[in-house]
Amino acid sequence: MVENRAPGVAVLAAGDFSSWMTALQAAIRGEGGSDVPCDGCTACCRSSQFVHIEPDETETLAQIPPELLFAAPRLPRGHVLLGYDDQGRCPMLVGGRCSIYAHRPRTCRTYDCRVFPAAGVFDGNKALIERQARRWQFSYRSATDRTEHDAVRSAATFLDQHPDRSPECPVPTDTAQLAILAIEVHGLFLGDGDGSPEPVVARPDPEAVRVAITRHSRSRGAASGDRQP
C-alpha cells in the first residue's frame, strides 16, 4: 500500500535525493553496491529474508557453510538461497554484526531500505525494516529534485493502483520491487510546466508505462536467470 511518512518519527539523513537516486540506478544496473549509512542497524538481517546468491559469487559461497544454502526455486543450477533461523535472523549475523561483511552477498551489497520512503511504500510484514525506513529523510538541492521525488511517488501510486496488467506486463507485488520499478519509470511522470523551465508531475501515457514495465520485467528476468536460453 502507498503511504506517507508517519508523523513524529525521529528522522535520519538519507542524503541528497538526486545523488542518491543516481547511485541507486547504477547499483540496479550492476555497477556497484549501495552505500547505506546504516550506523549499526541490522533490521534487514533480522527480518526473515531469504538472500539470493548467484553462482559467480565464489568468495561469498566460500564463507558460508553449505548446509545453510538451498537451491533457489525457478532459477538455473548454482543459484542458491541463504535462509534464516527461527527468530528470523540471518545465520551470518553473529554478535549483532555480519560475520562475512567483506564477502557479503551481492543482494546485501545492493539492498537499500531508502527505496521505501523514496517511493512512499512500506512493507507492513517487515516491521523492523519499516520502522527504520520511515526514519529516512531526503534533502533537495533544488525544486527540480523535489519534483523528481514527487514523480517517483506518483509512479508508485499509479503502479499500486493498477496491479493487474497482463502476464507480459506484470506489476510487482513485492513492495521493494514495486519501489524500484517506480524509480525506474518515474521519468514518464514528469512533464513540462506551462511556460516554466521547471518540470512538473504529469499524467503518464499508459502505453508508455506498459512498455516500460515490460522492459523492466524482461531485463530482471534476464539478469536473474529466469529466462532460459
Side-chain angles (χ1 to χ4, degrees):
M1 177 181 296
V2 177
E3 303 176 2
N4 294 320
R5 186 187 309 277
V9 177
V11 301
L12 294 171
D16 170 68
F17 182 78
S18 180
S19 299
W20 170 80
M21 191 159 65
T22 297
L24 178 70
Q25 290 173 319
I28 292 171
R29 294 192 300 268
E31 299 172 3
S34 296
D35 185 17
V36 186
C38 299
D39 193 26
C41 174
T42 58
C44 60
C45 309
R46 297 181 288 120
S47 294
S48 304
Q49 303 204 96
F50 292 105
V51 178
H52 175 209
I53 305 173
E54 300 182 68
D56 66 333
E57 298 182 70
T58 54
E59 291 187 7
T60 295
L61 292 167
Q63 305 296 317
I64 302 174
E67 60 269 20
L68 297 178
L69 303 170
F70 59 95
R74 299 184 299 279
L75 291 179
R77 183 185 300 273
H79 288 258
V80 296
L81 297 179
L82 172 64
Y84 46 86
D85 65 18
D86 57 2
Q87 295 184 350
R89 300 173 302 191
C90 172
M92 297 295 99
L93 188 67
V94 179
R97 302 181 60 136
C98 177
S99 60
I100 59 168
Y101 188 80
H103 304 286
R104 65 196 184 280
R106 187 176 295 125
T107 296
C108 302
R109 293 177 184 275
T110 57
Y111 186 85
D112 190 336
C113 66
R114 288 174 291 184
V115 299
F116 300 115
V121 297
F122 299 92
D123 186 350
N125 295 321
K126 305 288 185 185
L128 294 177
I129 295 174
E130 179 182 1
R131 187 178 306 126
Q132 182 72 358
R134 286 186 179 279
R135 298 180 63 195
W136 292 118
Q137 181 170 293
F138 290 100
S139 58
Y140 309 92
R141 290 179 294 183
S142 68
T144 298
D145 291 348
R146 189 178 292 275
T147 300
E148 188 173 35
H149 191 176
D150 290 340
V152 171
R153 291 197 161 198
S154 292
T157 298
F158 180 91
L159 295 170
D160 185 62
Q161 293 176 350
H162 299 80
D164 300 318
R165 293 200 167 268
S166 71
E168 296 77 25
C169 181
V171 174
T173 56
D174 175 80
T175 307
Q177 292 305 320
L178 176 68
I180 290 172
L181 178 57
I183 290 168
E184 292 284 88
V185 305
H186 82 279
L188 300 173
F189 292 76
L190 288 170
D192 297 328
D194 294 335
S196 170
E198 299 293 337
V200 297
V201 177
R203 183 184 300 275
D205 174 3
E207 177 60 18
V209 175
R210 187 194 68 78
V211 170
I213 294 172
T214 302
R215 184 183 303 119
H216 176 82
S217 176
R218 289 175 177 170
S219 66
R220 277 192 54 78
S224 67
D226 285 337
R227 297 176 68 198
Q228 301 284 342

